[in-house]
Structures are given as structure tokens and as C-alpha cells.
Amino acid sequence: MRIMIVGAGYVGLSLGVVLSTKHEIMLRDIDGRTVDKINAGISTIHEDGIENRLKSAVSDGRLRACNAMNESGSRDVVFICVGTPSNNDGSVNLSSVESAVDDVLETLPSLIDDYITIAIKSTVPPGTTRRALLDRISSTPYSKKVGVAFNPEFLREGTAIQDALNPDRIVIGTEDNRAFQTLRDMYAVIVHNKPEYVQTSMESAELCKYVANSFLATKISFANEWANLCERIPNADIDEVMKAVSLDSRISGDFFGAGVGYGGSCFPKDVEGAIRFAESISEDVSILRATEKVNASRPKRLLSILRNEVPDLKNKKIAVLGLAFKPGTDDTRTSPTLRVLELLRQTNARICIHDPLVNRMPTEGLCPSDIILTDNIETCMQNVDACILVTAWDIYKEMGLERLTESMNNKVFIDGRRVFVEEEPPKDVIYRTIGTHF
Ligand code: UGA
């Protein structure tokens, strides 16, 4: 099929690369540098396995990027994959989706051959696909030749390619059976497994995305709340509890990992977006409010564990391990580390951060000049008075607690991701973690 993807960010580029194995892809982005890089076979995102796939797709002519919609020619499917960031009040900003729809509608005559499916993939509040796309198409002379769908994406950063190739389910929200069939046929030839194809209304499909992300975020906060209790109960341990609880076939153990809480570009934004959407229709989602509240308290909890061991942090040198919001990505958006840094700065501690992939301090709420960021773990740990681990990069586990702490001045190690719980800490190390009583 000939497919156009509007928006070459995380979702658009990963999807384009995966679909290009069997389809001809045109990626459209308004950023000229992104277009140039993609056409040179260079990925604009860090994603496992994307570079080689992109290079070969571009050199074989299966994937190309463009700046202007009218460079595309006719297409069987158009995906809208632009960002939906939060407004200041937490509601979802739809301006990029709306302008992408404007652009698609403007070029519609040249995009349609016999029939075209236009699908929104960006995470949008229920009702958006109908209002922003279907209703507008209905008032054009092309309405009979266009199928409209909402097709949520469930891939994770860092494993986007594998997730896209092995989806658990593919949800297609559409009232148009031909659009459903088209998208099913398009996916069927690229996936490595046999996912369930679920046809729903557009509104139910839009809700699916919010419900899935909110549920996973809620699981994390749920585990974190019980982790707090475990810290107060002698001999209790959150992993022991959650592992045993997860053996109940009604409860999956995924996303029960207690720690510093969730971050990234999706969970915080989608939980907040769902709360604002519920408010807009005068409904309260108290569970989601609690999920957010528990998550917001996690960095403070970690700091209080540190302060139990080092009460006065003024001028103390503190190593912070991990700046990305999770391992396997260089993305720092809403990373829990940013809040940890904010709290640490209020204590007048001196801070050094290590991250193997992030090479630039984000400016989000920070004055970066007095914080040292390095990709050299030995440099980071040299003569520090305490260390806080926030992102569970493999390199920390591989080094082991003994090597990691050997050049510390004062060996206080606060493990915010429970990386070393199963390791016997060296005798001279004070090891503390979330979810275990000490
Ligand atoms: C998330 C969803 O998992 C994807 O299914 C979804 O498609 C995506 O959002 C999206 O909406 O685009 P992602 O943000 O890439 O994917 O990251 P996750 O792997 O889900 O992790 C999110 C956060 O939760 C991270 O900060 C991670 O450290 C934290 N987490 C995860 C925990 O604290 N505990 C866990 O047990 C699991």
C-alpha cells in the first residue's frame, strides 16, 4: 500500500520504519531538518534497531520524507501522528492535530485515487476524531471516497520497533468497514504475530488509549503506595508481596515495579488529560487523581530516605544516577530525575549526574550550569557523600554495588529502582531502597 504519515516524531517514525518493510511510505514533517535527516537515512530519535532499518528503507526507496503535503501523490492510507502536548491547565492541546487535518483536507483531491483511509493515531480525547476529521470530511464532495478511523498506538519508547511488530491487539475505531479492512490488511502483512483486530466506535478507540495508559500508571502508583507501607513493617518487602500477588491469574505482574514513579511523554500527560476530559463533562475520576498524587510524592519519598542517612545535605556532593525517564531512551521529558534534582537543589547540595545516553541537561525548571552531567560513571561517583539511583540502566547492575561505590567518600547508596535488592551490600556501604523495611 502507499501510506502517508503526517508527523515524524517517535510514533510516526517508528511506525513508518516498521510499515516500510511491506509498504511504500512517505513521512511528512514540518521541520525541514527532520526531513533532511530522514532522507539521509539518519534517525532523529534514539530507538533500538531503528537506524539500520531506516537506512535500508531509504536506500531501497521504500521510505521518503517530505516537507510539503503536495509532494505525496495518491495514497491508500494517511496516518496523523502529530504531538498532542498539554496546555497549561493540563488539558490536551489539539492545535497540531487540527492543522494536520487542515493540511490533509487541502491536498485531499491529489491524495485520493479510488478510496482513502485517514486515521488519527495521536492520543486525543473522545469525540475528537469525529469532530475534527469525520464531520469535516462529510461536508466535502469526497466523503464517499474517504474512510475515517482512530487507531491508537501502544508502542513503548526504547522497544518501539519490537512492540510495533508484535502487538497484543490492534484497535481500529471506525464506522466504515472498508477502512477497518484496509487497516487490518495493512498490518497483517507486517506483524510477526497474530494480534486480535478489534473494531470499535471512534470514541471507544480514543478511550482505549487513555484507559490503557491510566491503568498502567495506576498499577505503578498502587505498587508504590504499598511500598510505603512495606518500609514501615519489619521484614516486609514489596517485591516479595507483588510477586506472590501476581501469581493470581487475574492479576498480571507487569507495571508493579515500585520506585521513583512514572515519567515520560505519555503517562503523566495522559493521566492529566483524562482527568481534564472527565472534568469537562462534569465527571470525577478520583482514582486517577490519587494515581497522580502518589506519583508526585515519589521523588520526595526518595529524598526523605536520603535525609534519614545524611540529614544535612548543604555542600554535600551527591551523585544522581540516570537522567532519562527510563532505561533504553535518551528522552528526559517528565523524567522523575528532574524533580529529584529540583528537591536536591533546594538543600544546596552539589550535584553530579550520570547518564549513559543523555548528553545535554534539559532546561525544564532547572538552572543547568551548576549541575555536572557526565557519561563517565567513575567521574560521577568520585568522592561523593551519597548516591541516588533514579533510572535503572543496565550498566549499574552490571558494575555491581561494590565497584559502583568504591570511590565514594561516604558510602550512602539510595536505590530508587530496587536494582540491588538481591545483592548483599558491601559492609562499608549503607544501602537503602524503596519498599523494604530497614
Ligand atoms: C507508555 C506505554 O507503556 C505504551 O504502551 C504507550 O504506547 C506509550 O506510553 C504511549 O502512550 O505512547 P512509555 O512512555 O514509552 O510507554 O514508557 P513505559 O515503559 O510504559 O514506562 C513509563 C514510566 O513508568 C517510566 O518512567 C518507567 O520507569 C515507569 N515504570 C514502568 C515504573 O515506575 N514501574 C513499572 O513497573 C513500569
Side-chain angles (χ1 to χ4, degrees):
M1 289 184 197
R2 284 168 55 79
I3 297 166
M4 165 158 236
I5 297 173
V6 182
Y10 259 103
V11 171
L13 185 57
S14 308
L15 178 75
V17 165
V18 167
L19 290 176
S20 70
T21 51
K22 290 283 172 7
H23 306 291
E24 191 204 309
I25 308 299
M26 174 68 90
L27 275 158
R28 188 268 181 143
D29 204 282
I30 49 171
D31 180 355
R33 279 171 312 176
T34 298
V35 170
D36 292 344
K37 270 188 133 180
I38 293 172
N39 283 333
I42 302 165
S43 175
T44 44
I45 57 171
H46 176 88
E47 198 53 60
D48 197 26
I50 205 165
E51 286 287 350
N52 288 345
R53 286 171 184 269
L54 177 64
K55 248 189 206 94
S56 78
V58 170
S59 68
D60 297 353
R62 290 179 278 118
L63 183 148
R64 199 160 74 76
C66 69
N67 212 210
M69 287 293 292
N70 56 14
E71 287 178 46
S72 162
S74 68
R75 296 282 142 179
D76 301 298
V77 178
V78 173
F79 280 113
I80 294 178
C81 298
V82 294
T84 47
S86 299
N87 290 315
N88 286 341
D89 66 354
S91 61
V92 183
N93 184 327
L94 293 171
S95 57
S96 297
V97 172
E98 281 157 359
S99 71
V101 171
D102 287 343
D103 293 348
V104 171
L105 290 186
E106 232 167 72
T107 34
L108 202 51
S110 67
L111 288 171
I112 303 179
D113 195 355
D114 164 43
Y115 173 87
I116 191 168
T117 299
I118 306 177
I120 295 184
K121 245 189 201 299
S122 312
T123 302
V124 293
T128 305
T129 307
R130 188 176 300 278
R131 179 185 55 74
L133 186 57
L134 185 65
D135 290 351
R136 292 189 61 192
I137 300 240
S138 303
S139 61
T140 70
Y142 307 102
S143 59
K144 295 258 174 321
K145 292 179 153 200
V146 183
V148 168
F150 180 77
N151 173 217
E153 188 53 70
F154 301 108
L155 52 78
R156 291 162 297 174
E157 284 184 26
T159 52
I161 303 293
Q162 283 316 313
D163 288 348
L165 288 170
N166 301 285
D168 294 325
R169 76 307 203 187
I170 290 176
V171 178
I172 301 169
T174 183
E175 290 159 4
D176 186 314
N177 289 340
R178 187 164 172 191
F180 174 73
Q181 202 64 45
T182 304
L183 292 178
R184 190 164 73 172
D185 293 348
M186 179 204 76
Y187 283 117
V189 292
I190 59 123
V191 292
H192 290 172
N193 59 350
K194 285 194 168 25
E196 190 145 332
Y197 293 89
V198 189
Q199 184 172 3
T200 66
S201 70
M202 287 181 282
E203 287 76 7
S204 294
E206 289 165 329
L207 269 171
C208 278
K209 175 70 185 197
Y210 280 105
V211 173
N213 275 1
S214 300
F215 181 64
L216 293 172
T218 301
K219 281 188 87 175
I220 296 169
S221 281
F222 183 80
N224 280 329
E225 195 149 73
W226 285 107
N228 289 347
L229 269 73
C230 286
E231 287 163 25
R232 307 291 300 278
I233 304 167
N235 309 311
D237 177 271
I238 188 66
D239 282 350
E240 280 183 359
V241 175
M242 287 322 210
K243 218 168 163 182
V245 167
S246 308
L247 291 174
D248 182 327
S249 59
R250 296 167 300 176
I251 305 173
S252 130
D254 293 340
F255 284 72
F256 267 156
V260 202
Y262 60 79
S265 64
C266 303
F267 286 179
K269 172 175 81 77
D270 291 352
V271 172
E272 183 68 17
I275 293 171
R276 296 289 156 246
F277 173 75
E279 270 175 7
S280 75
I281 52 170
S282 305
E283 290 294 338
D284 187 25
V285 275
S286 48
I287 291 179
L288 295 190
R289 284 182 202 286
T291 294
E292 237 185 9
K293 191 172 162 210
V294 170
N295 198 56
S297 71
R298 298 313 292 162
K300 228 178 184 166
R301 184 89 187 182
L302 195 68
L303 256 287
S304 75
I305 298 177
L306 170 65
R307 284 192 120 147
N308 274 343
E309 305 307 327
V310 188
D312 183 10
L313 291 166
K314 193 170 173 202
N315 288 327
K316 295 279 186 325
K317 196 176 167 200
I318 310 296
V320 176
L321 301 188
L323 180 52
F325 83 93
K326 66 171 183 179
T329 177
D330 61 354
D331 195 344
T332 57
R333 285 176 289 176
T334 331
S335 169
T337 307
L338 299 176
R339 181 72 185 132
V340 168
L341 293 178
E342 215 176 294
L343 293 169
L344 266 179
R345 279 166 56 84
Q346 289 165 12
T347 68
N348 291 321
R350 291 176 296 139
I351 307 164
C352 177
I353 312 177
H354 170 266
D355 194 286
L357 219 51
V358 182
N359 52 23
R360 203 162 42 90
M361 276 306 290
T363 44
E364 227 179 284
L366 289 167
C367 164
S369 58
D370 60 348
I371 294 180
I372 299 161
L373 171 67
T374 173
D375 62 358
N376 185 315
I377 185 70
E378 276 87 12
T379 309
C380 185
M381 298 300 283
Q382 199 77 46
N383 296 326
V384 295
D385 297 300
C387 173
I388 302 190
L389 186 157
V390 187
T391 315
W393 284 104
D394 285 349
I395 175 185
Y396 308 140
K397 181 91 181 156
E398 282 157 18
M399 280 180 77
L401 202 49
E402 184 157 11
R403 242 188 87 206
L404 205 50
T405 54
E406 69 192 359
S407 63
M408 288 176 77
N409 183 27
N410 181 35
K411 301 192 179 191
V412 172
F413 194 97
I414 313 296
D415 183 352
R417 294 287 176 189
R418 300 179 53 84
V419 170
F420 297 108
V421 269
E422 278 165 21
E423 221 179 88
E424 183 64 38
K427 289 216 162 32
D428 56 346
V429 173
I430 297 173
Y431 175 78
R432 298 287 178 263
T433 190
I434 269 164
T436 301
H437 178 266
F438 283 97

